[in-house]
Structure formats: C-alpha cells, structure tokens
C-alpha cells in the first residue's frame, strides 16, 4: 500500500542520515579517501581532500637570514671556469677539482654553527656548469597527461601560497670515500659532511599540479617527472624526458599529491632567494629523499604513466649488490632494475668531535664528543649510542632537534614526519678515552633501523652507513684522534686510507682482502 511505501522511505531516510554523519566524521578524521578505479587500474585510487592541511608553524626566519648570505667575493679558483660569476665559500673542500663544483664543508665547521646550517657551507653536487637564469625570464612548463598544459612564471609561482619548514638534505654518496678504500667505486670521494640542514620556503607541488587539472592518481598519471634546463649536461638518451642534456628524475604520483610528504617547489633557503649552486630561481625539494632526486633549476614537470627515462634517473643513485661491478651492471642492464633505485635516505651519521688529528692533553678532565645522525622517509632518530670498548658495551648519548614533528603527534608513528637531522653530544672523561682503542658511534630510528657494524660495498659507493669509528692514539702526553678518511682526492690520510695503502691500494674486503674495521 501507499502507506507502507511511505513508511519504508521514512525509515531508510532515518537510517541513512546518521550513516552520512558517521561517514562525514570519518572522512574528517581521514582526509585521504579511496575508491575503486576501473579497467587495468582497478587498484585503490587516493583522493586528497583540500581541507587536509597542517596548521602551519610560524618561523621567525629573520634570525637565520644571515645564514643565507653568499660569500662576498668570487673564489679565484673559479675565475677561469664557466662558474666565474658564482660566489662561494673558500673553505669548502673541492672533491672534483675546480670544476664542476662538488663540495662539502669540514664537519666541525658545519657543526659549530648549530642546528641550522649556513647556505654557503651546505654541500653542493653539480654535474656541470651552473646555468645563468633570470627570475624575470624563467618559467616552469607543466605538461604530459594533464587536463591543460600550463607555463608558470616565477612571479606567478611566488604569488601562490607558500609554506616554510626546516629540512635536512644529504647526498646519497655521503661517506663514500670509505667505500673507495675497500674497492674503487665509480663515484668520487665524499667525506662525512655531504649534508646540510636549513629552512626552505616554496609552493606545494600538488597546488601547481592542480592548476594543470591533476588532483589524483589514475590511468596515465602514475608518475611526476622533473627536469632542469636542456643542454646543461653532456650525457643523455635520445628523446629522453626533459630533453637533450637535461638532468631529470621522477617520483610516484601518490607522493607528489600527499600533503604530508611536503613536496615543494622551493624558492627560498633560510629566508632568502636560492643561491645559484642550490637551484636559483627554483628547485624541487623532496624531504627525506636523497639529494639526487631534488632537481635544481627546475624547468619542466611532466605527468606520465611511467618513471622518468632521463639518463641521470637510471644511471645514477642506485645501490646494486656487491658482486655487481660497473662492467657487469652495463652488460646485464642492472641500472634499469627498478628494485635497486634509491629514493629515501637510510639511517646514517658521523662523529665531528674529536676531529681528525685533534690533540687532547691527557691531563684534561673531560671532553664532549659531538656528532650528527639522520634517517630518511620522515623517520625519527630515537637512539644514539657510543662505545669506548669496540662495541662490547654502549652508552646512550643525549641528542636534540629544534624541529616539531610535522602532520601528527610524536607518538603517531609514520604519520609524524621528521625531516631534520639530530645533533648529539656525550661527555666522557679523558682518562677513559686514553684507555680506548677507538670511539664508535651508531644510531637507531623509529623503525628500528640501525647502522651496521661493517660496510657493504656497492659499485656507486652510495648509502654507506657502517658504525663510524675514530681511532685513539696516545702520543706522549697527548691523545691524537684519527678518522677513517678525509674528504677529497688529495687527502691521503685516515686510518682506513692507511690500511688500504698497506694492502696495495684497496682493502678488498669481500674479495679476499684481510683485516676488519675494528682497531687492532
């Protein structure tokens, strides 16, 4: 009857209303909503709620702007290079000669500045000359599988909503020189200071993609590719993403659109416009990722169904198994195996004090050990340990950060993002240092990742993160400390370098060589 139909409609409405309220409440708590796609893309597709925004922390960047200032004059070593116009700090250790510019600071000098690093002592990785770009002329083209191709000027980009937060960055080759003492990799000799921790300001990538009509992953929209200027570099593939001579890479669309991944197009560092070596006028910033994915002098963004096919996306930033050398990697196409790509940083760190060849009087009462630790993917450092008896026992070292966890409370696990390094200190007596053969450091992150006791060699020498060991030598009334290596091709010193030299040039651990990292 009509009365029964009316009763059924009313009951359905009464039941559905609270369900809609519950659904809205759940959606408010979980703004990453999923639905099923169709066809070959029947996996979960994530939609991102515009309301999902973190309460922005307020940072007084004026107190750090002096740390953004370039060195006042051009280094004379650059006078006859294509970079003769770029002002650089003369204390930076040059790892590949005068040009291209690949440098790191001496670790104690960087640590002495504290938690926020000066831009002019931040590590630099350049594959070629720094392009001469003007703010008024530079643009970013967003193309590919988008609703509309757009070209964004720098003024247009700067007029969009920006966010600011502190973020650590490290080269995947940090500490590579240790690997090169075991067996020569295809990379140059980074020491333990291919790092920097600064404030970054930029426009969220997802907001730029939204202008091109991209708001969610889907068919043809699996990756976002990035590239710098064309004809910047000598090597490239024919018809590669980004064009000839460009440096390019890519990330998955889910990371690009996830607000909690904090992917931005950065236009400022420590409150001022980017230094030319760091990507002026705009670069990609990928918190928690290796530096090699953070494309500088960003010119092109392309939405695709597959990862970037740029030469440098495939032929750089991989960790291959130790039995794969360069010849085998090329012959058997190991560079193209997707499981060996590096994206997130691994856990790592080093000792800054005592520094290499530092002398300490044995009559001195106490000494403060200092260093840094970091992990990738937003994972927090939860433990720093130091051993003075070759790893038989460990003591906890106090550590600190000035960063508040982003996006969630500190106890929220992987949703709470920690993008910065942690500095640590430990007071010890000089008498116990005098009894030690070496000082050893290791760290742990919230996923219980730790630094291994021994290194594992790989052909690119990347993500090297064994225990950091500083030898202790008693010389009369003084203690002298010896680090494993010193950054640069001309620094033939360090306990690991000395061991390699005695072994004929390389330690060959894993290839019949003798000895161990532990002090004899």
């Amino acid at each position: 009857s009509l009365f029964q139909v009316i009763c059924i409609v009313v009951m359905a409405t009464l039941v559905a209303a609270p369900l809609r309220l519950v659904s809205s409440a759940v959606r408010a708590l979980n703004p990453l909503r999923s639905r099923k796609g169709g066809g070959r893309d029947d996996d979960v597709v994530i939609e991102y709620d515009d309301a999902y925004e973190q309460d922005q922390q307020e940072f007084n960047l004026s107190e750090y702007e002096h740390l953004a200032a370039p060195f006042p004059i051009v280094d004379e070593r650059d006078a006859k290079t294509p970079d003769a116009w770029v002002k650089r700090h003369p204390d930076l250790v040059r790892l590949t000669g005068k040009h291209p510019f690949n440098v790191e600071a001496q670790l104690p000098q960087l640590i002495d500045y504290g938690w926020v690093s000066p831009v002019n002592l931040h590590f630099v990785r350049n594959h070629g000359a720094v392009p001469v770009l003007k703010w008024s002329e530079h643009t970013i083209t967003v193309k590919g599988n988008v609703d509309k191709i757009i070209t964004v000027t720098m003024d247009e980009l700067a007029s969009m909503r920006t966010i600011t937060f502190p973020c650590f960055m490290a080269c995947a080759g940090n500490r590579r020189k240790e690997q090169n003492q075991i067996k020569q990799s295809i990379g140059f000799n980074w020491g333990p200071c291919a790092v920097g921790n600064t404030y970054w300001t930029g426009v969220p990538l997802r907001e730029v993609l939204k202008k091109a009509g991209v708001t969610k992953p889907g068919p043809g929209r699996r990756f976002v590719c990035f590239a710098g200027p064309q004809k910047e570099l000598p090597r490239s593939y024919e018809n590669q993403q980004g064009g000839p001579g460009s440096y390019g890479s890519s990330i998955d669309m889910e990371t690009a659109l996830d607000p909690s991944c904090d992917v931005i197009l950065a236009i400022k560092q420590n409150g001022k416009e980017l230094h030319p070596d760091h990507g002026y006028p705009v670069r990609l910033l990928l918190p928690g990722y290796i530096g090699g994915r953070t494309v500088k002098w960003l010119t092109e963004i392309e939405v695709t169904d597959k990862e970037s096919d740029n030469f440098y996306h495939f032929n750089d930033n991989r960790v291959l198994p130790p039995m794969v050398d360069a010849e085998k990697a090329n012959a058997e196409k190991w560079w193209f195996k997707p499981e060996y790509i590096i994206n997130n940083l691994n856990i790592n760190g080093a000792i800054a004090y005592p520094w290499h060849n530092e002398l300490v009087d044995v009559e001195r009462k106490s000494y403060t050990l200092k260093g840094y630790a970091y992990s990738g993917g937003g994972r927090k450092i939860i433990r720093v340990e130091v051993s003075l008896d070759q790893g038989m026992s460990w003591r906890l070292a106090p550590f600190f950060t000035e960063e508040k966890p982003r996006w969630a409370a500190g106890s929220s696990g992987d949703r709470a993002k920690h993008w910065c390094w942690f500095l640590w200190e430990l007071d010890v007596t000089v008498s116990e240092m005098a009894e030690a053969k070496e000082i050893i450091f290791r760290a742990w992150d919230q996923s219980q990742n730790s630094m291994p006791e021994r290194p594992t060699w790989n052909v690119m020498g990347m993500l090297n993160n064994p225990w950091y060991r500083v030898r202790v030598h008693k010389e009369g009334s003084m203690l002298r400390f010896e680090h494993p290596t010193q950054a640069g091709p001309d620094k033939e010193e360090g306990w690991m370098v000395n061991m390699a030299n005695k072994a004929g040039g390389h330690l060959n651990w894993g290839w019949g060589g003798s000895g161990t990292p532990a002090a004899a």
Side-chain angles (χ1 to χ4, degrees):
S1 68
L2 179 61
F3 177 74
Q4 289 174 318
V5 171
I6 292 173
C7 287
I8 292 172
V9 170
V10 170
M11 289 297 294
T13 302
L14 291 173
V15 170
L19 287 176
R20 282 195 298 271
L21 289 174
V22 170
S23 176
S24 298
V26 169
R27 185 172 139 185
L29 290 172
N30 181 21
L32 305 184
R33 313 188 306 279
S34 64
R35 63 176 175 80
K36 289 286 184 180
R40 68 182 180 86
D41 293 286
D42 58 353
D43 52 341
V44 172
V45 176
I46 302 174
E47 297 179 7
Y48 294 87
D49 195 323
D50 290 339
Y52 184 44
E53 288 294 343
Q54 182 205 26
D55 292 334
Q56 280 295 300
Q57 300 173 26
E58 294 295 327
F59 299 110
N60 180 18
L61 294 185
S62 62
E63 63 180 296
Y64 303 117
E65 287 181 354
H66 70 286
L67 296 177
F71 200 76
I73 60 174
V74 172
D75 192 311
E76 62 180 14
R77 289 170 290 184
D78 292 316
K80 295 182 180 181
T81 75
D83 295 342
W85 58 282
V86 183
K87 297 176 180 179
R88 292 160 168 164
H89 201 297
D91 289 351
L92 290 166
V93 180
R94 298 192 177 215
L95 309 175
T96 51
K98 293 182 179 181
H99 184 79
F101 193 64
N102 294 291
V103 296
E104 63 182 279
Q106 291 283 4
L107 184 52
Q109 187 178 15
L110 190 69
I111 291 290
D112 285 349
Y113 274 92
W115 192 75
V116 181
S117 306
V119 171
N120 63 19
L121 290 178
H122 193 288
F123 86 95
V124 177
R125 173 68 172 104
N126 288 344
H127 290 78
V130 176
V132 180
L133 303 176
K134 296 181 179 179
W135 181 279
S136 60
E137 299 175 359
H138 189 73
T139 61
I140 304 170
T141 299
V142 184
K143 64 178 189 178
N145 296 323
V146 297
D147 288 353
K148 58 179 179 178
I149 297 174
I150 62 173
T151 299
V152 182
T153 68
M154 291 307 303
D155 282 341
E156 289 171 338
L157 184 68
S159 70
M160 297 176 67
R161 184 182 70 89
T162 62
I163 60 175
T164 296
F165 57 91
C167 184
F168 172 83
M169 187 181 293
C171 180
N174 192 31
R175 297 182 58 187
R176 180 191 283 141
K177 191 168 184 177
E178 298 164 42
Q179 291 254 320
N180 285 342
Q181 307 316 304
I182 300 171
K183 186 179 178 183
Q184 185 61 45
S185 75
I186 62 174
F188 56 82
N189 286 316
W190 287 108
C193 199
V195 297
N197 195 77
T198 55
Y199 280 89
W200 297 86
T201 300
V203 176
L205 171 62
R206 67 185 183 280
E207 298 191 6
V208 176
L209 292 173
K210 186 176 181 180
K211 283 184 172 293
V214 178
T215 59
K216 60 187 177 183
R221 294 178 175 178
R222 292 299 183 189
F223 292 89
V224 185
C225 303
F226 309 91
Q230 294 186 10
K231 300 180 180 179
E232 172 198 357
L233 302 172
R235 306 187 70 179
S236 60
Y237 290 131
E238 186 176 355
N239 299 320
Q240 69 170 11
Q241 180 267 325
S246 67
Y247 183 93
S249 192
S250 61
I251 59 174
D252 60 86
M253 182 63 76
E254 286 76 8
T255 298
L257 296 179
D258 186 344
S260 71
C261 289
D262 281 324
V263 182
I264 64 171
L265 307 188
I267 57 176
K268 292 182 179 181
Q269 190 177 11
N270 281 349
K272 293 290 188 181
E273 66 182 27
L274 300 179
H275 185 280
D277 278 324
H278 295 294
Y280 177 86
V282 58
R283 77 176 296 165
L284 177 69
L285 183 71
L286 290 166
Y289 272 54
I290 61 170
R293 302 283 172 225
T294 60
V295 177
K296 297 190 285 191
W297 313 298
L298 185 65
T299 302
E300 178 182 293
I301 300 172
E302 184 175 2
V303 175
T304 65
D305 193 40
K306 60 181 182 179
E307 65 181 309
S308 172
D309 60 7
N310 188 277
F311 177 89
Y312 292 94
H313 181 73
F314 283 113
N315 291 275
D316 206 347
N317 301 310
R318 307 265 160 170
V319 172
L320 303 182
M323 69 290 299
V324 179
D325 59 15
E327 183 179 359
K328 185 180 180 70
N330 292 329
E332 299 179 6
K333 301 185 183 302
W334 281 81
W335 304 115
F336 303 97
K337 296 177 184 286
E339 56 268 35
Y340 299 111
I341 190 172
I342 313 169
N343 286 316
N344 286 314
L345 289 163
N346 61 345
I347 189 169
N348 209 342
I351 297 172
Y353 284 102
W355 188 233
H356 182 71
N357 280 338
E358 182 177 342
L359 298 175
V360 174
D361 194 314
V362 293
E363 297 299 321
R364 183 171 165 177
K365 296 295 185 185
S366 63
Y367 186 93
T368 302
L369 308 175
K370 295 181 181 181
Y372 72 86
Y374 65 84
S375 193
R379 294 181 292 274
K380 180 182 180 180
I381 294 295
I382 61 167
R383 208 159 92 219
V384 171
E385 298 179 341
V386 171
S387 176
L388 297 178
D389 58 7
Q390 299 188 281
M392 296 300 292
S393 65
W394 298 85
R395 60 188 75 183
L396 291 174
F399 58 91
F400 70 94
T401 180
E402 295 180 14
E403 177 188 30
K404 293 181 179 178
R406 290 178 62 77
W407 298 102
S411 60
S412 300
D414 291 341
R415 295 304 297 172
K417 302 298 185 180
H418 301 266
W419 301 134
C420 297
W421 67 355
F422 290 72
L423 301 184
W424 59 268
E425 298 182 356
L426 179 65
D427 292 330
V428 297
T429 64
V430 173
S431 61
E432 60 186 339
M433 284 203 302
E435 294 296 320
K437 292 183 177 180
E438 57 187 349
I439 303 167
I440 306 175
F441 148 81
R442 69 181 182 185
W444 304 73
D445 71 18
Q446 68 186 48
S447 297
Q448 300 302 317
N449 297 310
S450 183
M451 299 163 63
E453 180 177 358
R454 296 181 62 117
T456 300
W457 185 87
N458 66 88
V459 69
M460 296 205 74
M462 289 186 163
L463 299 187
N464 182 55
N465 70 335
W467 296 355
Y468 197 89
R469 299 170 181 263
V470 174
R471 299 286 201 259
V472 183
H473 304 287
K474 191 170 183 180
E475 300 178 348
S477 63
M478 307 296 288
L479 299 180
R480 182 177 66 85
F481 301 92
E482 186 180 22
H483 281 242
T485 66
Q486 288 290 280
D490 57 342
K491 301 287 180 61
E492 289 298 318
E493 52 186 291
W495 64 260
M496 207 166 178
V497 175
N498 294 334
M499 285 181 68
N501 288 339
K502 290 179 181 178
H506 293 100
L507 294 166
N508 286 314
W509 292 336
W511 290 270
S514 61
T516 72

